[in-house]
Amino acid sequence: MNTIHTIEDLIQLLDEKPEWADAMRARLLTRELIELPEKFTKFVAELDRFVEVANRRFDALEERIDKLFTQTDKRFTQIDNRFTQIDNRFTQIDNRFTQIDNRFTQIDNRFTQIDNRFTQIDNRFNRLEADVGQIKGILARNAALEDAALIAREMDLRRLKTLSQEDLWDLVDAADTSDIPPSDLRSFRRADLVMEAIDPAEETCYVAVEISFTVNGRDTARAIRNAGFLTRFTQRRAHAAVAGLYRDHRIRDIIESGDVFWHEMDPGILESE
């Protein structure tokens, strides 16, 4: 029998006699502990199979997820392309509206040009109308001056002379006019026609005539005012008269009252000889 003095001797003996090691193991360990390595080996094998199955399932899941993401990405790409097409369509529509807006701007500018042209034409007509008005006024005044004696006769007067602007200036200078507005005096000195005449009683009198192509209320007011100035400056009776081819219907009452005499000129003065 081998002598065992140290643990190393025991280990060496057990290495030399494996059956002793098994017998000692059976004596020292329970069956569960003895079977544990085998069970652990089986467990590891089962775990490896489980891991393998799990890996296969995860691989399949990952493949499905990859396919899903690929399909989803393609779908989103299609949606993005569709939105790009829609955006391009809206851009085309916006460009079309811009073209329409530019067209309306061109039309508006054209109408502005036309309006400016009509304004120029209107201004030209206004100037022409003013010129014609002046011409008509001049024709009426010249005709009335030629009819001065006739106007006096129609008023049952006899004209002695027609006062010039200088004569009117002399009348103003010889009178106290401090209470008369300068504009009224200036208008009086530029009166259309002032005549010195004799009435049926052989009394000297004056006639203040305002002349217009179409006589209106302003003309009658000036005639009455100028007649008043003549009476004031000469201490003689003065008559107000208006002469024209036509008259405003609004002066009918003052004509019919006798405050202002109306001389209607012959429209034939407008006809060229």
Side-chain angles (χ1 to χ4, degrees):
M1 177 178 294
N2 295 331
T3 303
I4 300 172
H5 298 284
T6 63
I7 190 66
E8 286 79 6
D9 294 338
L10 178 58
I11 291 171
Q12 183 179 359
L13 181 61
L14 292 174
D15 290 338
E16 293 174 357
K17 297 181 178 297
E19 64 277 9
W20 287 19
D22 293 335
M24 184 175 287
R25 187 180 299 111
R27 180 66 60 88
L28 294 176
L29 302 176
T30 64
R31 179 173 296 276
E32 288 78 7
L33 292 175
I34 294 173
E35 294 176 354
L36 183 62
E38 183 180 357
K39 289 182 178 180
F40 180 76
T41 300
K42 292 180 179 180
F43 171 75
V44 171
E46 291 292 333
L47 181 62
D48 288 341
R49 284 194 296 273
F50 174 78
V51 170
E52 183 180 358
V53 172
N55 285 334
R56 286 198 299 270
R57 294 185 66 182
F58 276 117
D59 289 342
L61 179 62
E62 184 177 10
E63 183 178 357
R64 291 183 63 185
I65 292 174
D66 288 341
K67 290 181 179 179
L68 178 62
F69 272 109
T70 300
Q71 294 173 355
T72 303
D73 186 65
K74 290 180 180 179
R75 186 58 179 169
F76 275 111
T77 300
Q78 293 172 354
I79 293 172
D80 185 66
N81 292 335
R82 186 59 177 169
F83 274 112
T84 299
Q85 294 173 358
I86 294 172
D87 184 67
N88 292 335
R89 186 57 178 169
F90 273 111
T91 299
Q92 294 173 357
I93 294 172
D94 184 66
N95 292 335
R96 185 58 178 169
F97 274 110
T98 300
Q99 294 173 357
I100 294 172
D101 185 66
N102 292 334
R103 184 58 178 168
F104 274 112
T105 300
Q106 293 173 357
I107 294 172
D108 185 66
N109 291 335
R110 184 58 177 168
F111 274 112
T112 299
Q113 294 173 356
I114 294 172
D115 185 67
N116 291 335
R117 184 58 178 167
F118 274 111
T119 299
Q120 294 174 356
I121 293 172
D122 187 63
N123 292 335
R124 185 61 182 271
F125 273 114
N126 288 337
R127 290 195 299 268
L128 182 61
E129 184 178 10
D131 293 341
V132 170
Q134 292 178 353
I135 294 172
K136 291 193 298 185
I138 293 172
L139 289 174
R141 187 173 186 277
N142 292 337
L145 292 177
E146 292 179 359
D147 286 350
L150 177 60
I151 294 172
R153 290 293 184 177
E154 288 178 349
M155 297 175 69
D156 201 17
L157 302 173
R158 181 164 53 87
R159 181 175 68 103
L160 294 179
K161 68 173 183 178
T162 298
L163 275 63
S164 64
Q165 281 194 357
E166 186 175 359
D167 294 331
L168 298 180
W169 272 93
D170 291 340
L171 290 176
V172 172
D173 292 341
D176 180 10
T177 59
S178 58
D179 61 334
I180 301 176
S183 59
D184 288 351
L185 291 175
R186 183 168 54 252
S187 177
F188 171 74
R189 291 192 294 262
R190 295 177 178 175
D192 292 335
L193 174 60
V194 176
M195 295 183 288
E196 183 180 342
I198 295 178
D199 62 18
E202 298 296 324
E203 294 288 336
T204 301
C205 62
Y206 293 89
V207 181
V209 184
E210 284 298 305
I211 307 166
S212 289
F213 189 85
T214 300
V215 177
N216 55 33
R218 185 176 58 182
D219 298 311
T220 56
R222 279 202 301 258
I224 293 172
R225 182 203 61 195
N226 290 344
F229 286 161
L230 287 168
T231 298
R232 174 173 173 172
F233 298 155
T234 64
Q235 304 303 311
R236 298 282 186 175
R237 186 180 179 185
H239 305 276
V242 289
L245 280 79
Y246 308 99
R247 70 182 187 185
D248 191 321
H249 68 90
R250 289 170 291 187
I251 68 171
R252 182 183 63 183
D253 291 342
I254 196 169
I255 297 297
E256 292 179 353
S257 70
D259 292 337
V260 180
F261 178 80
W262 158 245
H263 172 69
E264 183 178 0
M265 292 185 291
D266 183 2
I269 65 171
L270 300 178
E271 299 178 0
S272 59
E273 296 182 356

